[in-house]
Amino acid sequence: MSAAAGLDLASIPERIRTEVQRAIQRSIKGVEYIASSGPSLGSTPKDTLSVRGTMNLYHYRPMADEIYRVPILIVMATTNRGYILDMVPGQSFIEFLLKRGYDVYMLDWTAPKPEEKSLRMEDYVLDFIPDCIRHVQRDSGETDVTVIGYCFGGVLSLLYGSIFPDGPMKNLICFTTPVDFREMKLFRNFSDQRYFDVDRLVDSVGNVPPEMIPASRAASQVQLWDNIWNDEYVKSYRMFDRWATDTLPLAGEYFRSITRDLMWDNKLYNDTMSVGGRPADISRITVPMLHAVAEHDHIVPYDAAKPLIQKIGSADKQEVILKGGHVSLVAGANAIKRLWPKLDSWLGERSI
């Protein structure tokens, strides 16, 4: 039996026309992609409450008539911009929270200046976060504050909560937050103590440039070409790709501490972490806790995030495992359907 016998010969001309048309569309759209600018991100109306060094504190303007009593402070990862949580209207986590009646603040970051290379872990945990908490309290008129930490912003929030377990943090929510840094395979391979001289790097360059932070875009760029004829896919790709490439440098001393204390010595997992000489044992955190993790997170694998709920001291604690990756867990169509409603349900009853 010949191979052609199993083919629908009548369909071949139509299939050829379809593929030719798609190739033409790829070429046209490819030119448009290169020539055009991406969508405007981070456009939800907000006011700047404080700018100090690399720290930026924003307050988003309310969008609901009735506002929950307890305000929210979102702590972003120090490597990335906060607009991943404020995409275009209809795909913005910030907008979603505002429309559901939450009072939302964000601690976002800018690139540290050369003279800020000496910023340490304690500057972030014992200075920047408490300073923002105080601003939120004054601005909102409330003592209690819910903290939401994204990725390494979650690590900073855990350290803060463990050192100040008596408040004012009322609830803690972490997104894709690592605890067992042995399981951070991508970063461990990069920072292997046998080959990686962190002291030489920091002493030589000061602030660590974003090129030294591991990332890979090759696979997503192949997917872009395969789908460049699809306007919705390209729109989504532009938003996420801009964020993925908009990586911030890290202050040198801060990077040194991350490498030595977390990547090499795994102190957060081993309960030996301290910040500025103050013990930072996360079992001291007893406030209500929600941890959302992604099944297919290649940046913070589930095995790295899994110990958090077990180690936290809270009686009211919950882990939510959802489909998606490191970014799609919190932003995009996947997050809109899965994470956002779940978080709203959990947070609503704990914000009054």
Side-chain angles (χ1 to χ4, degrees), residues 81 109 147 153 168 197 201 226 258 281 284 314 350:
R81 308 279 187 175
W109 310 98
V147 176
D197 190 340
L201 173 66
D226 286 343
I258 292 172
D281 182 351
R284 300 180 68 201
S314 309
R350 294 168 176 82

Side-chain angles (χ1 to χ4, degrees), residues 172-347:
L172 175 60
I173 298 170
C174 289
F175 297 151
T176 64
T177 296
V179 172
D180 187 353
F181 283 80
R182 294 172 304 177
E183 301 298 333
M184 295 283 285
K185 303 298 186 184
L186 180 64
F187 294 89
R188 279 192 67 84
N189 290 338
F190 163 78
S191 62
D192 191 315
Q193 192 170 358
R194 294 171 297 176
Y195 316 111
F196 182 62
D197 190 340
V198 66
D199 294 326
R200 182 179 180 186
L201 173 66
V202 171
D203 293 343
S204 299
V205 305
N207 293 329
V208 178
E211 294 78 17
M212 297 297 297
I213 300 170
S216 173
R217 299 173 61 211
S220 64
Q221 288 174 336
V222 170
Q223 289 178 321
L224 170 65
W225 180 245
D226 286 343
N227 294 277
I228 202 163
W229 52 273
N230 183 326
D231 289 341
E232 285 303 311
Y233 183 92
V234 172
K235 177 182 176 183
S236 178
Y237 178 91
R238 273 194 174 280
M239 292 188 292
F240 290 111
D241 185 62
R242 174 182 162 188
W243 179 81
T245 57
D246 196 6
T247 305
L248 297 171
L250 293 178
E253 292 303 323
Y254 174 65
F255 181 82
R256 195 193 315 258
S257 177
I258 292 172
T259 302
R260 287 188 167 277
D261 294 339
L262 299 177
M263 299 306 306
W264 289 356
D265 295 341
N266 208 17
K267 289 183 177 180
L268 189 62
Y269 179 78
N270 293 331
D271 305 323
T272 57
M273 185 70 180
S274 65
V275 179
R278 304 178 69 167
D281 182 351
I282 61 175
S283 67
R284 300 180 68 201
I285 298 175
T286 58
V287 299
M289 164 77 185
L290 178 70
H291 189 201
V293 293
E295 282 187 358
H296 308 293
D297 192 334
H298 70 286
I299 296 177
V300 181
Y302 177 60
D303 285 343
K306 178 171 59 176
L308 176 52
I309 287 296
Q310 178 184 351
K311 295 181 76 65
I312 207 83
S314 309
D316 178 3
K317 55 186 178 181
Q318 183 178 354
E319 178 186 77
V320 179
I321 306 175
L322 298 172
K323 293 185 181 298
H326 189 73
V327 178
S328 64
L329 174 76
V330 298
N334 180 57
I336 293 171
K337 292 184 293 185
R338 295 190 174 101
L339 177 62
W340 298 2
K342 176 65 181 177
L343 183 141
D344 178 36
S345 175
W346 187 91
L347 190 56

Side-chain angles (χ1 to χ4, degrees), residues 10-297:
S11 69
I12 290 177
E14 181 58 32
R15 290 164 62 186
I16 291 174
R17 279 195 295 270
T18 299
E19 287 304 315
V20 169
Q21 184 62 31
R22 185 163 291 181
I24 293 171
Q25 283 292 97
R26 283 196 187 106
S27 298
I28 295 172
K29 295 293 185 179
V31 172
E32 292 176 356
Y33 179 86
I34 294 171
S36 63
S37 60
S40 176
L41 307 178
S43 59
T44 299
K46 61 183 180 291
D47 299 302
T48 301
L49 288 190
S50 179
V51 175
R52 186 163 64 87
T54 186
M55 180 196 88
N56 294 269
L57 177 63
Y58 305 124
H59 181 215
Y60 292 87
R61 297 171 190 171
M63 291 186 177
D65 293 333
E66 295 187 12
I67 307 297
Y68 282 106
R69 181 184 69 83
V70 181
I72 295 170
L73 174 64
I74 297 174
V75 180
M76 282 304 301
T78 42
T79 50
N80 294 109
R81 308 279 187 175
Y83 59 70
I84 189 64
L85 300 182
D86 187 22
M87 294 295 201
V88 295
Q91 297 186 47
S92 165
F93 176 61
I94 299 295
E95 179 190 61
F96 170 81
L97 290 175
L98 294 171
K99 288 185 174 180
R100 297 299 297 171
Y102 297 99
D103 193 10
V104 183
Y105 299 77
M106 178 184 285
L107 169 51
D108 198 13
W109 310 98
T110 55
K113 298 180 177 64
E115 59 270 24
E116 293 173 313
K117 64 183 180 181
S118 60
L119 286 173
R120 304 155 299 169
M121 183 70 76
E122 46 260 52
D123 292 305
Y124 290 85
V125 175
L126 303 180
D127 184 1
F128 288 142
I129 293 180
D131 187 33
C132 287
I133 291 283
R134 288 190 291 269
H135 274 92
V136 170
Q137 290 175 311
R138 286 196 295 267
D139 189 68
S140 67
E142 295 292 338
T143 301
D144 296 330
V145 179
T146 289
V147 176
I148 299 179
Y150 178 43
C151 188
F152 207 86
V155 174
L156 296 178
S157 300
L158 288 171
L159 295 174
Y160 166 80
S162 68
I163 294 172
F164 302 98
D166 297 327
M169 185 171 70
K170 186 178 189 297
N171 306 295
L172 175 60
I173 298 170
C174 289
F175 297 151
T176 64
T177 296
V179 172
D180 187 353
F181 283 80
R182 294 172 304 177
E183 301 298 333
M184 295 283 285
K185 303 298 186 184
L186 180 64
F187 294 89
R188 279 192 67 84
N189 290 338
F190 163 78
S191 62
D192 191 315
Q193 192 170 358
R194 294 171 297 176
Y195 316 111
F196 182 62
D197 190 340
V198 66
D199 294 326
R200 182 179 180 186
L201 173 66
V202 171
D203 293 343
S204 299
V205 305
N207 293 329
V208 178
E211 294 78 17
M212 297 297 297
I213 300 170
S216 173
R217 299 173 61 211
S220 64
Q221 288 174 336
V222 170
Q223 289 178 321
L224 170 65
W225 180 245
D226 286 343
N227 294 277
I228 202 163
W229 52 273
N230 183 326
D231 289 341
E232 285 303 311
Y233 183 92
V234 172
K235 177 182 176 183
S236 178
Y237 178 91
R238 273 194 174 280
M239 292 188 292
F240 290 111
D241 185 62
R242 174 182 162 188
W243 179 81
T245 57
D246 196 6
T247 305
L248 297 171
L250 293 178
E253 292 303 323
Y254 174 65
F255 181 82
R256 195 193 315 258
S257 177
I258 292 172
T259 302
R260 287 188 167 277
D261 294 339
L262 299 177
M263 299 306 306
W264 289 356
D265 295 341
N266 208 17
K267 289 183 177 180
L268 189 62
Y269 179 78
N270 293 331
D271 305 323
T272 57
M273 185 70 180
S274 65
V275 179
R278 304 178 69 167
D281 182 351
I282 61 175
S283 67
R284 300 180 68 201
I285 298 175
T286 58
V287 299
M289 164 77 185
L290 178 70
H291 189 201
V293 293
E295 282 187 358
H296 308 293
D297 192 334

